[in-house]
Amino acid sequence: MKINSNFNNLKPSYLFRDIAQKTAAYKASHPDADIIKMGIGDVTLPLCQAAVTAMENAAREMGVKETFHGYPEAYGEDFLLLAIQDYYKREMGVTVDTNEICVTSGAKEDVANILDIFSTDNTVLIPDPVYPVYYDTNVMDGRKIKFISSNESNSFLPLPDESMSGDIIYLCSPNNPTGAAYTREQLKAWVNFALSHNAVILYDAAYEIFVSEKSCPRSIFEIEGARKCAIEFCSFSKTAGFTGTRCGYTVIPAELIFENTSLLSLWKRRQSTKFNGVAYIIQRGAAAVLTEEGIKQVRQNIDYYRTNTANMMKTFDKLNIKYYGGKNSPYIWLKCPNDMKSWDFFDLLLTKCNVVGTPGEGFGVNGEGYFRLSGFGDIDRTREALHRIETLLG
Ligand code: MLT
């Protein structure tokens, strides 16, 4: 038996595990430390009432013979597919067929699993810095990776140019980790590039609900031509606090035909073999989130998180520290003060402020010297963290 030796090309551990371990080690040696976690983008507010009620009702249905449900539909129950279709139409003016939507347990899983349908001979274009899942999963498969440099000179919104070539392009907007969001014109440039290079864009829209500027699209399908070159991944995790209940969806337009083969049919073939669907109770909760009332409730939570990012922006403005993100994103991507390296800044904040963030270097070479803070925390705890940072750096 031989192992997949591509794993030897990965860092020994996943970024957010590293951070959790370092934090736990510090806490073990400093049991009195009052640690505030602003590292991983995990939500802190409870599910909205619409979702809770729908899940309670669904749980009761599961306890009655006549309304009990066994295996869920592999691609999602009709009521949720219709709710997602309606959400796209209502909120983004985008038309998708319910047949093009596949419900899954989350966008992280989907951006990783989608690789099953692509040859390992493809070349992949990945922005640097980037959500580590895009990179790690392609390393695991042994695909050739080329980096797209995302940096201060392009405001962390790199655009295509003719020196680039690749078959699979990852884009995430609003971006994790930088918080930067593409405008319509910028996204159109990527769509044109993909169309002219016979490439496919894997578009991660997990943070779409945070878009506040009209110039920034929430779905790549708002861009003309995208149906011929893009797959979109979205999630209830950040939209509706489903990090613990797990539900997401992927949209693959019927027009995506490569080598005379529909990518949608490949994905459905893959899913029906390897996945047995999302639990009925969870799908009921997710569908309730997307109703007009559900979205109204969820937006109150998003506004709460926006208060955190607004407070962060105020603090870093006061400290004269340069940052990106915040406006259309729950993340602030700041330049480490005094040219510090990002892991040194991590250690400084952990030991002097008992605040945990994410070192930019963990997202790629271009992330060195930067640091990500999450706005998904409790408002008072976030204020306290900012007060400690201001006292240290002010
Ligand atoms: C992050 O902190 O980057 C995200 O929470 C990770 C994820 O969504 O998997």
Side-chain angles (χ1 to χ4, degrees), residues 167-189:
D167 309 298
I168 299 171
I169 304 162
Y170 284 84
L171 296 178
C172 175
S173 182
N175 188 265
N176 180 14
T178 68
Y182 280 116
T183 62
R184 258 180 199 83
E185 291 67 35
Q186 290 171 326
L187 218 42
K188 178 73 181 140

Side-chain angles (χ1 to χ4, degrees), residues 16 40-41 108 131 176 207 238 331 372:
F16 293 107
I40 192 162
K108 178 179 185 176
Y131 180 39
N176 180 14
Y207 299 91
K238 319 291 162 152
Y331 297 127
R372 194 193 79 176

Side-chain angles (χ1 to χ4, degrees), residues 156-213:
F156 292 98
L157 291 167
L159 290 173
D161 66 57
E162 283 315 314
S163 71
M164 293 177 187
S165 62
D167 309 298
I168 299 171
I169 304 162
Y170 284 84
L171 296 178
C172 175
S173 182
N175 188 265
N176 180 14
T178 68
Y182 280 116
T183 62
R184 258 180 199 83
E185 291 67 35
Q186 290 171 326
L187 218 42
K188 178 73 181 140
W190 277 112
V191 167
N192 290 346
F193 177 84
L195 290 172
S196 63
H197 288 75
N198 196 36
V200 67
I201 295 174
L202 302 183
Y203 190 78
D204 186 345
Y207 299 91
E208 57 83 11
I209 193 105
F210 285 91
V211 170
S212 62
E213 290 177 309

